[in-house]
Amino acid sequence: MFLLLQRFVNAEFGNGVWEELQKETSGEAKKYNGHQNYPLSEMEAILNTASTKTGLTLAELMEKFGEKMVPDLMAAYSKYVNPEWKTFEVLEYTEHVMHRAVRIEESSADPPVLNVSRVHDKLLIIDYYSERKMGSLAVGIIKGIAAYFGEADKVKVHSNSSPNDARVQLRVEFE
């Protein structure tokens, strides 16, 4: 996540901003390893500082980050995605396919738990659970997946609860 956040910050706000955010929050610029877990407090501090500096709310910033990270996620997990799938199927199977693989391949990884219910062919209800309280990131990822498949104008995401909670219910409607 930290490497994706670094890539997002530099792409959105310019080279060198990542290091500035790190120095402002922890006093030093650190290098992060993609296969290691770091304290959530470090990411929260960087996101809060970035929110203040950009004028975006934390929820807006996290949603934007979620949208922008999708191409990297799709590349990383392409071997688990059926080529016939679109947004609906990727969302429906994320927990049982991609998150399951992440937990097996990277024992220290802790992706959020997604309980996805297919109400009908045009509606998914996603119950998101994570102590990280990053429901806004999940909303952004859903929007990013829809954009990835050229379906952004056909997918609407509504949060039925605060995105700042550990448990967030998302309603995903398809035209």
Side-chain angles (χ1 to χ4, degrees), residues 18-90:
W18 174 254
E19 288 78 13
E20 288 175 28
L21 291 173
Q22 285 186 295
K23 287 177 184 173
E24 198 167 317
T25 58
S26 68
E28 65 175 322
K30 289 175 62 173
K31 297 245 185 238
Y32 291 98
N33 177 328
H35 297 287
Q36 188 173 341
N37 284 334
Y38 298 95
L40 179 59
S41 59
E42 288 182 34
M43 181 171 284
E44 288 172 342
I46 291 168
L47 287 166
N48 283 318
T49 302
S51 171
T52 301
K53 283 186 159 300
T54 63
L56 296 170
T57 67
L58 186 57
E60 291 169 330
L61 184 66
M62 288 177 59
E63 188 173 314
K64 194 171 188 170
F65 172 40
E67 287 182 59
K68 299 294 184 177
M69 70 191 300
V70 168
D72 289 320
L73 293 175
M74 295 302 289
Y77 300 107
S78 63
K79 65 184 176 185
Y80 303 108
V81 177
N82 182 322
E84 296 174 16
W85 289 354
K86 295 287 186 189
T87 306
F88 191 97
E89 294 80 13
V90 169

Side-chain angles (χ1 to χ4, degrees), residues 27-171:
E28 65 175 322
K30 289 175 62 173
K31 297 245 185 238
Y32 291 98
N33 177 328
H35 297 287
Q36 188 173 341
N37 284 334
Y38 298 95
L40 179 59
S41 59
E42 288 182 34
M43 181 171 284
E44 288 172 342
I46 291 168
L47 287 166
N48 283 318
T49 302
S51 171
T52 301
K53 283 186 159 300
T54 63
L56 296 170
T57 67
L58 186 57
E60 291 169 330
L61 184 66
M62 288 177 59
E63 188 173 314
K64 194 171 188 170
F65 172 40
E67 287 182 59
K68 299 294 184 177
M69 70 191 300
V70 168
D72 289 320
L73 293 175
M74 295 302 289
Y77 300 107
S78 63
K79 65 184 176 185
Y80 303 108
V81 177
N82 182 322
E84 296 174 16
W85 289 354
K86 295 287 186 189
T87 306
F88 191 97
E89 294 80 13
V90 169
L91 295 176
E92 187 174 31
Y93 300 120
T94 293
E95 180 63 28
H96 298 296
V97 178
M98 279 75 82
H99 283 185
R100 180 175 177 267
V102 168
R103 289 181 185 103
I104 290 170
E105 290 177 5
E106 198 68 48
S107 63
S108 64
D110 188 25
V113 175
L114 305 177
N115 292 313
V116 181
S117 301
R118 177 194 282 235
V119 177
H120 54 71
D121 290 345
K122 302 281 184 188
L123 177 63
L124 292 173
I125 300 294
I126 302 174
D127 290 309
Y128 162 99
Y129 176 74
S130 174
E131 288 297 325
R132 292 186 198 106
K133 300 179 182 180
M134 293 185 167
S136 296
L137 184 73
V139 169
I141 290 171
I142 293 167
K143 290 179 177 181
I145 291 169
Y148 182 87
F149 287 107
E151 300 176 314
D153 59 334
K154 298 175 183 169
V155 178
K156 305 293 180 242
V157 184
H158 307 281
S159 181
N160 293 340
S161 51
S162 169
N164 301 324
D165 293 340
R167 291 185 185 276
V168 179
Q169 187 176 78
L170 303 172
R171 179 183 178 93

